[in-house]
Amino acid sequence: MPVHICHHTNPHPPESDPTPARPIRLVARNLQLAQNLIPHEHDWGQLTYTPQGMLQVVAEGSIWFVPPMRAIWIPPNVTHEVRTLADSQLRVIHIHADRNPFSGKHCLVLEVSRLLKELIASLEILDTPGPRENHMTQVIIDELQTAKTLPIHLPMPTDKRLKGLCEILLANPASNDTLDVLAKQVGASSRTLTRLFEQDLNMSFGTWRQQMRLARVTPLISRGLPLSQVATELGYASQSAFSAMFKKTFGESPSAFFSKK
């Protein structure tokens, strides 16, 4: 059974709340597998990051996967739930709304640069207000604004039939069943499901299945599976076919992507 941590709607100590005088505050805690933060929201933005481990964030009707050396930006007042897929070093940066580094209102998965990694580590040591913290705050915001964004999220539908189909695929990502075959399992025509994918998720069935497989890559590789086995578990005919799809999406090979430290 998952262990849930929650102090009302804010699972973090009040002294970690950002203020205009101290717009960036760090909360560092180590969580075990399945030790989760239940859904909550707050008035400030949040950068959720793990230098070691694997996180899954549920927000905005999507599942977001956060591997090491990546982080998810969660805007102010967005309800979110944090799940651990492995023992993880959770590092959360609270950023006051007045210093919001992004103008958009949606979550983003970001590359964590080496400089940003060191700045976050330094915040753990430095917990006193003053000029040094002020300088670090500005550099952190600069680094976030120039960070590369990554498509590591999986939109989930609201329609019951479509949700049933998506859950079938999530349970068996290697399945290459056609939409006609899957439609019979959820009691809807393939034409109806095609329309629902476009209406509910703004993407085709094929695009969603590829996004789902990409989203599943991270937990599999974090378990130490070789790329050949990951390709098989995700329904690709060969490791090279899987690697080509991955590189087309992320601009680099899986081994390069997951070797960053």
Side-chain angles (χ1 to χ4, degrees):
M1 290 289 291
V3 178
H4 293 291
I5 300 175
C6 184
H7 301 285
H8 304 295
T9 57
N10 178 11
H12 305 296
E15 59 269 21
S16 70
D17 295 357
T19 64
R22 300 184 72 186
I24 282 186
R25 305 302 310 281
L26 175 74
V27 175
R29 61 170 18 141
N30 295 334
L31 300 179
Q32 296 177 338
L33 171 65
Q35 192 176 4
N36 304 330
L37 307 183
I38 69 173
H40 64 284
E41 64 178 80
H42 29 66
D43 295 334
W44 55 83
Q46 170 177 315
L47 186 78
T48 300
Y49 157 72
T50 176
Q52 184 175 330
M54 179 65 55
L55 301 176
Q56 182 186 90
V57 174
V58 181
E60 299 188 306
S62 292
I63 300 172
W64 307 74
F65 292 88
V66 189
M69 294 310 298
R70 278 83 194 177
I72 180 171
W73 165 253
I74 304 169
N77 303 308
V78 170
T79 300
H80 54 281
E81 174 184 358
V82 180
R83 302 170 179 171
T84 56
L85 303 180
D87 292 354
S88 301
Q89 297 173 355
L90 179 65
R91 302 296 181 261
V92 177
I93 297 179
H94 296 157
I95 303 180
H96 195 272
D98 290 348
R99 301 296 297 275
N100 192 332
F102 303 104
S103 58
K105 297 182 179 180
H106 299 291
C107 297
L108 300 168
V109 175
L110 308 168
E111 288 270 16
V112 174
S113 68
R114 291 184 180 180
L115 176 56
L116 183 55
K117 175 187 176 183
E118 295 305 324
L119 287 165
I120 294 171
S122 297
L123 277 182
E124 287 189 62
I125 302 168
L126 176 73
D127 192 32
T128 53
R132 181 169 171 77
E133 185 182 81
N134 295 339
H135 291 314
M136 290 173 63
T137 291
Q138 187 55 55
V139 179
I140 286 172
I141 290 173
D142 289 344
E143 283 295 290
L144 290 176
Q145 289 175 332
T146 58
K148 177 184 175 183
T149 59
L150 299 166
I152 313 182
H153 82 284
L154 185 66
M156 293 298 290
T158 54
D159 180 87
K160 185 177 180 180
R161 294 161 295 179
L162 200 57
K163 192 172 183 180
L165 183 149
C166 291
E167 287 174 349
I168 289 170
L169 291 174
L170 278 167
N172 183 19
S175 168
N176 285 307
D177 286 345
T178 64
L179 189 56
D180 285 332
V181 171
L182 292 165
K184 294 174 184 176
Q185 298 182 49
V186 296
S189 70
S190 59
R191 180 179 294 181
T192 296
L193 291 171
T194 297
R195 176 175 52 80
L196 287 171
F197 266 107
E198 295 292 350
Q199 287 182 353
D200 208 346
L201 299 176
N202 295 313
M203 63 177 65
S204 69
F205 164 67
T207 300
W208 189 90
R209 174 144 64 182
Q210 179 172 299
Q211 284 285 96
M212 178 272 296
R213 287 172 167 170
L214 280 170
R216 294 296 298 267
V217 169
T218 302
L220 292 174
I221 288 182
S222 72
R223 281 165 33 198
L225 295 184
L227 288 180
S228 57
Q229 190 173 343
V230 171
T232 299
E233 293 213 11
L234 296 180
Y236 288 92
S238 65
Q239 180 179 330
S240 59
F242 161 68
S243 296
M245 179 279 302
F246 191 97
K247 188 170 184 178
K248 183 178 178 181
T249 304
F250 293 107
E252 56 187 333
S253 68
S255 54
F257 184 90
F258 287 101
S259 65
K260 293 181 180 178
K261 295 182 179 178

